[in-house]
Amino acid sequence: MQLTLATFNVNGIRARKDLLLDWVSSTQPDIVCLQETKAQDKDFPAGPFEEMGYNIAYRGQKSFNGVALLSKLPLTEVVTDLPGDGPEAQARVAAAKVAGVYIINTYVPQGQEVGAPAFEHKLEFLSRVRDWLAGEFSAHDPLIWAGDLNIAPTDADVHDPKRMEGKVTCHPAERKLLQESKDWGLTDLFRMHHPEDIQYTFWDYRLPASFKRNLGWRIDFILATKPLADACMDCWVDSEPRGRVKPSDHTPVLARFDWDL
């Protein structure tokens, strides 16, 4: 069967609910990984998505972070934290098995600035994801890691690499940790299908007319182990939602699979 998976940092699911509902209704992805929902669990607007046929797993917190998985297929083995997380851990992980495929949806910390405690937290988070993959999974397992990873892996993934050199999202330490997870056995599906394309997924609100000027970053990803990379028919960025009224500062990334596993 063919299935489509999407990842989308919505930057506030209540503020962007109508936009998201319209986009999901028109696009009909089978699985949606959402980040930065910014809503406590009691305030998550599950009803409209359930009416559209989605099963939902989510973990939120007030005003910050928050992740969710929407799936037209059953969600099993749901977890909403990294191994070893305590009760005060930020809401940054929602993972589950769907049709035999384990899907990890993360909202990686942004990091603020190099040297700040938030940057060290970002490196720790990436290290823990890497260790989780290596410790609990095999690169031969059908697995997807998707979400806002807050890293531009190469200079081709940021509009002004000289200005961003050594700064957060482009720092060698975070790029190295992401590469270590990829070396474990993950393929960047967009780059697999579009090795030379300059395409971004995030345009900063604070930069004047950043979307119109295409001054962006590619920091949202769908990464997959070999069984799913081999099954991936295409992976693309849908920039249309970023051009709408009151959009998120991110836009969705989608991948289509011949999911006969």
Side-chain angles (χ1 to χ4, degrees):
M1 56 182 171
Q2 291 188 13
L3 292 176
T4 300
L5 179 143
T7 182
F8 191 3
N9 178 321
V10 293
N11 194 13
I13 194 165
R14 289 177 292 174
R16 239 65 68 183
K17 184 178 75 170
D18 291 343
L19 183 155
L20 180 60
L21 284 168
D22 181 70
W23 181 81
V24 169
S25 177
S26 61
T27 308
Q28 290 291 316
D30 299 285
I31 303 158
V32 187
C33 301
L34 300 176
Q35 306 88 41
E36 209 172 355
T37 54
K38 296 182 179 180
Q40 298 179 82
D41 289 351
K42 66 182 181 63
D43 297 321
F44 189 92
F49 298 101
E50 291 172 338
E51 291 172 6
M52 295 171 65
Y54 286 97
N55 302 287
I56 308 176
Y58 51 85
R59 184 178 175 216
Q61 63 187 88
K62 187 176 181 180
S63 303
F64 297 99
N65 307 321
V67 283
L69 274 172
L70 315 179
S71 174
K72 293 182 178 179
L73 298 168
L75 295 166
T76 62
E77 301 181 31
V78 175
V79 299
T80 54
D81 52 21
L82 286 175
D85 272 350
E88 302 303 315
Q90 296 177 343
R92 294 186 176 275
V93 177
K97 185 171 280 189
V98 179
V101 175
Y102 205 75
I103 297 170
I104 299 172
N105 171 28
T106 66
Y107 176 43
V108 172
Q110 191 272 341
Q112 294 183 351
E113 63 181 8
V114 176
F119 185 69
E120 296 306 313
H121 175 56
K122 180 179 190 175
L123 298 182
E124 179 191 17
F125 185 93
L126 290 165
S127 296
R128 292 179 67 200
V129 172
R130 176 203 61 198
D131 294 347
W132 185 25
L133 291 169
E136 297 195 22
F137 303 98
S138 163
H140 301 291
D141 296 333
L143 179 144
I144 288 171
W145 178 18
D148 176 1
L149 306 192
N150 264 315
I151 301 171
T154 72
D155 287 352
D157 300 308
V158 59
H159 71 93
D160 192 346
K162 288 185 178 180
R163 184 178 69 83
M164 292 300 298
E165 184 176 3
K167 295 183 180 180
V168 168
T169 71
C170 298
H171 192 274
E174 54 193 308
R175 284 178 164 177
K176 179 175 182 289
L177 285 167
L178 177 59
Q179 186 60 49
E180 287 174 359
S181 287
K182 292 165 74 175
D183 289 344
W184 169 80
L186 293 172
T187 297
D188 178 344
L189 298 182
F190 177 82
R191 274 286 169 252
M192 182 180 78
H193 286 283
H194 308 281
E196 305 297 330
D197 287 6
I198 301 300
Q199 177 67 67
Y200 306 127
T201 65
F202 166 80
W203 297 263
D204 197 334
Y205 293 140
R206 298 168 296 181
L207 192 61
S210 61
F211 181 62
K212 290 183 179 179
R213 298 161 65 196
N214 200 29
L215 305 179
W217 290 258
R218 191 175 74 97
I219 58 176
D220 302 85
F221 300 90
I222 302 173
L223 309 175
T225 53
K226 189 176 187 302
L228 285 166
D230 290 346
C232 183
M233 303 164 68
D234 196 7
C235 182
W236 68 99
V237 176
D238 180 2
S239 58
E240 186 272 336
R242 183 60 177 85
R244 298 191 188 188
V245 176
K246 296 182 179 179
S248 171
D249 43 3
H250 294 250
T251 207
V253 181
L254 301 95
R256 184 175 296 115
F257 300 88
D258 188 359
W259 199 301
D260 185 18
L261 298 169

